[in-house]
């Protein structure tokens, strides 16, 4: 009989601790998981829409994660655990820069630039400004909340969160302008590749409002098919 003992560790991807009885801590524990939920949402959109911008948006997230991993293991600054009751063994021991803050600010920066430069709403100019402003403020506010949650829940120091946020803003800005000014010129050629046709990869670069485009195209197609069926 094998008498060996094994150490079992939980999968820490969605493992978040907060102080018992702390309502704000409970709320922030959910908010701190936004980067993971956002990444899953983008991957789902890729499966459904398969457009190059979203695919590269997700690739930028992976690059940002790699940058964070390298920096953490170079700087090797520990997390600010204050007592022995925290589950130290369930997380990476290094905290500089904050991964969650970096990723969320990457997502938000890229999203804000996308809304500002590429998104168009077929409404009045005032309505377009209001909707764009609302989306940008919402994205920035979400990133700030995630960063705040990492400090409040004592997973990172202020300096670690600020560093992660600034790196995320830098990564999001550089990656967006690289895609928008350089890589997007080759989108048309990429979509003509055999593998792209097989995977149904699309280029929505020149469509300012994808939701409206899809709604109109699908409604017209449904109307045509309904008329053909009745005839």
């Amino acid at each position: 009989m094998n008498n060996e003992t094994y150490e079992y560790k939980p999968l820490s991807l969605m493992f978040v601790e907060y102080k018992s009885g702390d309502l704000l801590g409970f709320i922030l524990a959910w908010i701190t998981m936004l980067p993971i939920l956002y990444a899953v949402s983008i991957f789902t959109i890729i499966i459904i829409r398969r457009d190059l911008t979203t695919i590269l948006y997700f690739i930028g997230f992976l690059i940002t994660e790699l940058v964070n991993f390298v920096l953490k293991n170079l700087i090797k600054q520990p997390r600010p655990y204050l007592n022995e009751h925290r589950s130290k063994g369930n997380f990476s021991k290094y905290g500089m820069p904050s991964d969650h803050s970096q990723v969320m600010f990457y997502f938000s920066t890229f999203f804000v630039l996308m809304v500002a430069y590429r998104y168009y709403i077929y409404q009045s100019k005032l309505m377009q400004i209001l909707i764009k402003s609302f989306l940008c403020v919402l994205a920035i506010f979400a990133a700030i909340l995630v960063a705040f949650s990492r400090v409040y829940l004592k997973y990172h120091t202020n300096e670690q969160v600020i560093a992660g946020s600034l790196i995320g803003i830098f990564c999001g800005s550089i990656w967006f302008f690289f895609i928008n000014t350089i890589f997007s010129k080759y989108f048309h050629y990429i979509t003509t590749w055999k593998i792209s046709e097989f995977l149904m990869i699309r280029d929505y670069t020149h469509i300012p409002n994808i939701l409206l485009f899809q709604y109109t195209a699908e409604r017209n197609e449904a109307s045509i098919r309904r008329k053909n069926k009745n005839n």
Side-chain angles (χ1 to χ4, degrees):
M1 184 175 179
N2 191 350
N3 294 322
E4 291 184 35
T5 58
Y6 299 94
E7 179 185 356
Y8 285 85
K9 294 182 64 176
L11 182 65
S12 60
L13 185 64
M14 299 287 280
F15 187 86
V16 182
E17 292 180 321
Y18 64 95
K19 192 180 295 184
S20 177
D22 183 359
L23 178 58
L24 179 58
F26 172 76
I27 294 171
L28 291 175
W30 282 97
I31 289 175
T32 202
M33 293 188 289
L34 279 178
I36 299 170
L37 300 176
Y38 198 100
V40 171
S41 299
I42 292 176
F43 188 76
T44 304
I45 292 172
I46 290 173
I47 299 300
I48 296 172
R49 288 205 332 220
R50 309 186 190 193
D51 67 291
L52 283 168
T53 298
T54 308
I55 292 171
L56 288 170
Y57 189 14
F58 190 81
I59 290 174
F61 153 69
L62 298 179
I63 294 173
T64 302
E65 281 280 82
L66 178 61
V67 168
N68 183 269
F69 176 80
V70 171
L71 288 175
K72 274 185 177 177
N73 285 276
L74 285 175
I75 300 172
K76 297 184 178 180
Q77 186 180 103
R79 293 177 181 269
Y81 292 114
L82 298 182
N83 58 65
E84 67 275 11
H85 300 296
R86 300 301 298 270
S87 302
K88 301 178 186 179
N90 297 330
F91 309 96
S92 62
K93 58 183 178 179
Y94 303 132
M96 173 63 87
S98 166
D99 184 18
H100 284 66
S101 302
Q102 182 175 323
V103 166
M104 196 62 194
F105 268 94
Y106 160 77
F107 281 140
S108 297
T109 301
F110 193 101
F111 178 82
V112 166
L113 292 172
M114 179 74 71
V115 169
Y117 284 91
R118 296 258 304 263
Y119 189 56
Y120 180 78
I121 304 162
Y122 297 99
Q123 301 287 346
S124 66
K125 189 173 182 179
L126 176 61
M127 184 60 68
Q128 183 169 185
I129 292 173
L130 289 175
I131 293 176
K132 281 190 170 188
S133 299
F134 172 76
L135 292 173
C136 292
V137 169
L138 185 64
I140 295 169
F141 183 64
I144 292 173
L145 276 180
V146 169
F148 174 72
S149 73
R150 303 308 288 174
V151 175
Y152 185 89
L153 297 171
K154 295 183 172 60
Y155 284 111
H156 293 283
T157 63
N158 290 324
E159 292 77 14
Q160 291 171 353
V161 161
I162 291 171
S165 301
L166 292 176
I167 295 169
I169 292 171
F170 176 79
C171 290
S173 302
I174 293 297
W175 191 240
F176 174 82
F177 284 110
F178 171 76
I179 293 171
N180 200 50
T181 60
I182 300 175
F183 207 71
S184 61
K185 297 176 183 178
Y186 305 98
F187 279 6
H188 171 70
Y189 302 103
I190 293 173
T191 56
T192 62
W193 296 348
K194 291 295 182 181
I195 183 65
S196 298
E197 292 177 354
F198 175 75
L199 295 174
M200 294 185 286
I201 303 298
R202 306 157 201 174
D203 174 21
Y204 290 142
T205 306
H206 302 292
I207 301 175
N209 192 326
I210 298 172
L211 288 176
L212 180 62
F213 168 77
Q214 290 181 325
Y215 170 74
T216 304
E218 290 167 8
R219 184 179 66 177
N220 291 340
E221 181 65 20
S223 178
I224 292 171
R225 288 179 179 273
R226 185 169 57 252
K227 289 178 181 178
N228 291 338
K229 184 178 179 179
N230 293 334
N231 293 335

